[in-house]
Structure formats: structure tokens, C-alpha cells
Amino acid sequence: MTVVFAAAPVIPNFGGGSSQFACERANRLFCPNWVSRNWATVLWPALRQHVELTLIAVAIGFVLSTALALTAYRRHWVERPVLIITAILYTIPSLALFELLEPLPGFGLSRTTAEVALVSYTLLILFRNTLTGLREVPAEVRDAARGMGMSDRQSLLRVELPLALPAIIAGLRIATVTVISLATVASLIDNEGLGSPILAAISNEVFKTELIVAGGMAVLLALLADGLLVLLQRRLTPWTRARAV
Amino acid sequence: MFSDHSAQEEGPSAFPQAAALELRNVRKQYPGQREPAIPGLSLSVEAGEVCVLVGPSGSGKTTAMRLINRMIPLSGGDILLGGRSILDHEPTELRKQIGYVIQQTGLFPHLTVNENIATVPRLLGWERRRTEDRVRELLELIGMDLDDIGPRYPAQLSGGQRQRVGVARALAADPPLMLMDEPFGAVDPINRARLQDEFLRLQERVRKTVVFVTHDIDEAIKMGDKIAILRQGGTLAQFASPAEILIEPADEFVAEFVGQDRALKRLGLATLADIELVTPNGTGPGTDRVALSATVRDALSQLIAGGGAPLTVVDADDHVAGIVTLELLGRVLGDGALANGADPQVRAAGAEPRPAGQESPA
Ligand SMILES: Nc1ncnc2c1ncn2[C@@H]1O[C@H](COP(=O)(O)OP(=O)(O)OP(=O)(O)O)[C@@H](O)[C@H]1O
Ligand SMILES: [Mg+2]
């Protein structure tokens, strides 16, 4: 762990007795003034980095797990090995995984290391949800698609994947929220994202404003992302809300 | 009948002609099964005819049907559609030319009624305009309100409506052959009877070759021009018209399958228009009435319910066409006058009224 902490946050420490602001000198729990002064230099860049980290991880995870799920949908034997590997990846504690990856050539204390770890946490959820969604397409619906002359590919694109969308998006919601929260821990590796101010606050024993603000922003970001995915699902799957009239 | 508006005359259709279907010594053995599901089945269905496959559960009805559109591969024999082997076509191309209706409807839950019906036209790459016209035409054909039903999702339809849409979807590209596996099996009896009547009326207009699977012998008698009765083990017990099967069951199995009441069922095949009625004389108004288009079976039922009092038969314009009595029906049955049953054409058309007494019964 020492290796990791050696790269400790470089965010300037604004709290403490040296500050010209009373709130900060007194190390009060929350200083709005600190937030407004550091928004443009600390918090906003951290938020942007956090969003980037998340988008990249979820996008790569989505592509990989969809490819794996489609393969397992056609070839049943693929399912077990993929489940075992992704389940192992999912259960490795995040700190341990960073430690494991860090010494590997090409990894080190880089964004790559952070992304690889984050992606590995999305795979199990996305793979399982997509595969389950596809498998739950009613047999008679698949039969009708084939019986009307659709090729396997047409049936997949026009019928099976659209019907699996609710399950796929449900998986995306869980994966996204998970990545947003884990990405704060990933700051230990690449020192970016909302984790950086949080770590800075942890290392500063008394001044906690940045921890509260950055932590709150991570929570709000997770809620917002989840809300957006819910809206996406509503748009893409209007039939799920169609009830007998 | 063909002077009527017909989907195939006016519709923007791909395959206007119904096609004859012939099964030649068809064999199907599922992998890993000791006995073949169908050891060797031969049938031929003329273009525009409804052939009903009927038989107990496991007798191979669904198997036989799914061999025709290559949903499952043949193990032996051949199937000709319009004189050409189905093996000459790519399976996906073949299936686009064959309407397919199943009991659970298989409607796509994520598509509206309009989009469901447009499935095969879209696969065939029809122009948007032509597809839209065809969807409209089909919704009208099945008696559904375009603006109300068209934009709905299947979850927003009743069971009967879903079946109608399933039939419309199968008819969309005007296929020369329709395969229907227990299409009305999951609908309550009243709606089933209505769907059957509707389908017969529809068939009168579109004149498809139809293979219709059911395990209900009454449905088979009502719907079929020809009935193929299958027995356990996938062999053909009898292949004949409904009337022939009712009059002369080929063996014990068929007789039992058709039921003890087959004489009564036979009466269900003919309408009062098909028999020679008693000329009215003296029996004044005041007796109970029965429509000329009623089946002989229904007339008998009404006679019995009325304690045997004669019934006045009236045609569609309420003109008295004659009198029907218990004695008359007894005589008709005794004569074997219904031996050939009703002409299926007439039956499906809902019986064109014929003046009583001018024509001998068939
Ligand atoms: N996919 C399959 N694999 C192995 N055997 C099968 C398969 N499908 C059907 N069978 C067998 O083939 C026989 C005929 O089945 P089929 O489904 O054609 O009967 P059916 O007449 O349609 O019956 P039902 O009235 O119950 O629908 C049965 O013995 C059945 O067990
Ligand atoms: Mg069946």
C-alpha cells in the first residue's frame, strides 16, 4: 500500500490556521467559501475526470460484455467460464485489484490501471443481465420471428435484442452506479476524479469540507446517471408501459 | 364469390395465387428418439382448400405442419408447394411465402399492431407506402378500427383481438399457403366460435391453401374442406371430407374420435336450405320461426325444445320458405339425403338461400 500512498494527492491543502478565511481557520465541518473558491480549479476538473473515467469504463464494459453475452447466447458452453471469470473479477476487493495490476508492465499508477479495474467490475453484471434478457424472450416470439422468415441475425436485431433492452438497461444502471462509486477509490491509482479531493481531505486530519463536497458530488452524479438511464429506458421501451386499456 | 372485394385482387400483394400442397411419404424422426414422430405421411391439398390436421396429443400434427415451412428438417420424403419441392427454396425465403399462425400468437410485444402486421412486407423490402396500404387493408379485412387498434401494443389487446392480428400478420404478404397451429385454441368457446366464423368468411375472400391444426374434432368439421385424422405414432387414420368422415369412419379409432354423436354432427354440416321443406298449407302464422340459414342440427334442437311443434322457416328477407317438422327430418335422415353433406363452398359462404322445393337435396 505504501507505493500507492506515495502518490498521495497534490491538491493544495486550504484548511487550517494559515487560511485567511475564518471558517477554514476554525476547521468548521463545512465552508461554502472554500467550495466557491475551489470550484473551477479543483472540484469541476475532478467531476469532469470522474465522468470520463465512468463513461470509458462503462462503454468498454458494455461492448465486451455484450459480445460475450451474444456468444454465450448462441453457444451455451461459453456461459460457465465467462461467469466464473467475471465473478472472480467482481469479488476481488478493489484495493487488492489495484495492487495486483499496478506492478504489471504498462500499468503502473496510470489511468489504464484504473480503467481496467473499473471495467472488470462491470462485466459480471452486464454479461448476466444481457444474457438473461435474451434468454427470457418468449419461445413463441422467437418461433414466430423465424417462422415469418427472419434470419438469425434479423431475429436478433429486430426482436430479441429490443426485447432484452429492459434487462440490458437495468444492468447498465447497476454497473454505472457501481463504477461511479468505485472510481473514487481508483483515485489512489491515478489521482484524478472526485476521489482526489476526498483523499486530500482524508489525509488532512481536521478540514473536511472537500470530503463532504466531493463525496456529495459523487452521490449526486450517481443519482443523475441513474435517472438519465431510466429516461433512456422509457424512451427506448415504450411497450413496457403499455397496459390493457 | 370472387366478385366480392378480395385482398388478393386489390391488395398490393406479392404472391397472388394460392398453391397446391403435396406431402409425399413424409418422414420425421427427431434426433435421439427411438420411434419416428411421423413414419410416412402422404396427403395432397388442392389450392384454396382448408386441410385440417386433427388427432390426439402427440400424434404429430405440429410436427407435420412445421416440416412444411422447414422449421424442422425432413428426415425423408418430400413436400411440394405449387409443384416445387420446398427443399429448392432457402428456408427464410420459403417462410416468407408461407403464413404462420400459432396458438400463443407470437406477436412481437415491442411492436404495435401496425408494425406487427408489417413484419413480412418489411422483410421483403416493400415500399413504405405499399406496406402502409396493405396494413390498412388487412385491419379492415379483420374488422378492426385502424386508428384505435393500429397503434396499440399486443399487451393492450384482448385474446381474441390478438388472434385476429396474428392471422392478419400471417396474411400480410398474401402468401399462397397458411399454416395455423391451434390458432383459436387459447380463446374461450364463444370467442372461438366467432373467430372460426370470421376466418371462414375471410377464407371465402382470400382463398388461401390452409393447413389448420386442431385437436378439436368439431372445429375440424367446421373449418375443413378436408380432414386428415392422425393417430398416435403419426400415421394417417383417414383423409377425407368432413361429411365422408362422419358417414363412413374408416375404422374404430376414427369412429371413436369423431364421437357417438356423429349423426348429429352431420346435421350440423347442412342448412335448412339444403333440404326439401314441407310446403306451408294451413299452418298459420304463430308457429315458431327458424332461419333458412340455420343448420339442420340447430333446427332439430329447436324442434325438440318446442316439444315437436313444426317450425316456420324464413329466409333472410323474412319470407316464409317452408315448414320443418320432426317427421321431415326423420325422413331426410332415413333417405341418406344428407349423404354427401353440404357442399363446402356453400357452407363457407354462409349458405346461399335456395327456394325450397325446387331442387332435390344433394
Ligand atoms: N423437438 C422434439 N424433439 C423430440 N421429440 C419431439 C419434439 N417435438 C415433438 N416431439 C415428439 O413427436 C411427437 C409428435 O409431437 P407433436 O408436437 O407433433 O404432436 P401434436 O400432435 O402437435 O400434439 P399436441 O396436440 O399436444 O400439440 C410426440 O411424441 C413428441 O413427443
Ligand atoms: Mg401441437
Side-chain angles (χ1 to χ4, degrees), chain A residues 140-141 143-151 154 158-159 162-163 238-239 242-245, chain B residues 66 69 71 92 95-96 100 102 104 106-110 119-120 123 152-153 155-156 169:
Chain A
E140 72 269 12
V141 170
D143 188 70
R146 204 162 79 89
M148 285 193 295
M150 289 192 194
S151 62
Q154 284 169 326
R158 296 177 189 218
V159 178
L163 285 174
W239 74 91
R243 286 284 150 261
V245 284
Chain B
R66 288 166 69 87
N69 62 351
M71 292 295 275
T92 52
R95 292 183 200 129
K96 284 176 211 162
Y100 186 62
I102 53 179
Q104 315 86 330
L107 289 182
F108 301 134
H110 62 303
T119 304
V120 180
L123 288 174
R152 289 202 204 175
Y153 289 103
Q156 298 167 310
R169 182 175 72 169

Side-chain angles (χ1 to χ4, degrees), chain B residues 150-189:
Chain B
R152 289 202 204 175
Y153 289 103
Q156 298 167 310
L157 302 177
S158 71
Q161 287 173 323
R162 264 177 238 160
Q163 286 301 345
R164 286 186 187 91
V165 173
V167 172
R169 182 175 72 169
L171 282 168
D174 220 352
L177 172 68
M178 294 273 284
L179 304 178
M180 308 175 80
D181 193 352
E182 306 205 27
F184 311 137
V187 184
D188 65 86

Side-chain angles (χ1 to χ4, degrees), chain A:
Chain A
M1 282 327 274
T2 44
V3 182
V4 170
F5 277 108
V10 291
I11 305 291
N13 181 357
F14 285 89
S18 57
S19 174
Q20 60 182 113
F21 295 96
C23 172
E24 291 169 29
R25 268 201 306 281
N27 279 318
R28 297 229 180 91
L29 190 61
F30 184 69
C31 300
N33 199 286
W34 184 91
V35 175
S36 53
R37 267 189 304 123
N38 292 283
W39 178 258
T41 49
V42 181
L43 294 171
W44 174 246
L47 178 64
R48 267 193 33 207
Q49 288 159 358
H50 207 89
V51 170
E52 270 172 43
L53 276 171
T54 306
L55 283 179
I56 292 171
V58 173
I60 294 175
F62 180 70
V63 170
L64 278 179
S65 58
T66 304
L68 288 169
L70 288 178
T71 313
Y73 185 48
R74 295 274 181 244
R75 288 171 235 280
H76 275 249
W77 64 265
V78 174
E79 181 182 357
R80 275 182 70 85
V82 172
L83 269 185
I84 290 170
I85 293 167
T86 55
I88 290 172
L89 286 174
Y90 188 73
T91 47
I92 298 178
S94 50
L95 283 174
L97 186 58
F98 294 139
E99 281 292 276
L100 279 172
L101 290 173
E102 194 269 328
L104 299 180
F107 283 85
L109 298 173
S110 67
R111 184 181 258 204
T112 313
T113 309
E115 290 290 11
V116 168
L118 292 177
V119 167
S120 70
Y121 286 108
T122 67
L123 294 179
L124 178 66
I125 297 161
L126 292 175
F127 172 78
R128 219 166 41 181
N129 268 49
T130 303
L131 187 58
T132 307
L134 287 169
R135 293 243 171 95
E136 275 175 1
V137 173
E140 72 269 12
V141 170
R142 245 178 285 145
D143 188 70
R146 204 162 79 89
M148 285 193 295
M150 289 192 194
S151 62
D152 284 355
R153 197 188 157 77
Q154 284 169 326
S155 171
L156 186 70
L157 292 178
R158 296 177 189 218
V159 178
E160 289 152 280
L161 275 174
L163 285 174
L165 266 181
I168 293 173
I169 297 180
L172 273 176
R173 287 174 59 190
I174 303 173
T176 305
V177 171
T178 306
V179 167
I180 289 175
S181 106
L182 278 177
T184 55
V185 183
S187 297
L188 287 171
I189 291 285
D190 63 346
N191 190 24
E192 57 174 340
L194 292 168
S196 294
I198 293 176
L199 288 173
I202 289 172
S203 59
N204 179 322
E205 311 225 318
V206 280
F207 188 68
K208 296 300 178 206
T209 294
E210 29 188 358
L211 180 131
I212 292 169
V213 176
M217 282 166 72
V219 171
L220 287 180
L221 181 63
L223 289 175
L224 179 72
D226 197 50
L228 286 176
L229 284 167
V230 170
L231 286 183
L232 180 74
Q233 140 129 48
R234 285 180 155 238
R235 269 205 76 107
L236 292 183
T237 64
W239 74 91
T240 54
R241 282 172 299 139
R243 286 284 150 261
V245 284

Side-chain angles (χ1 to χ4, degrees), chain B residues 58 60-63 181-182 213:
Chain B
K61 307 178 294 291
T62 299
T63 301
D181 193 352
E182 306 205 27
V213 168

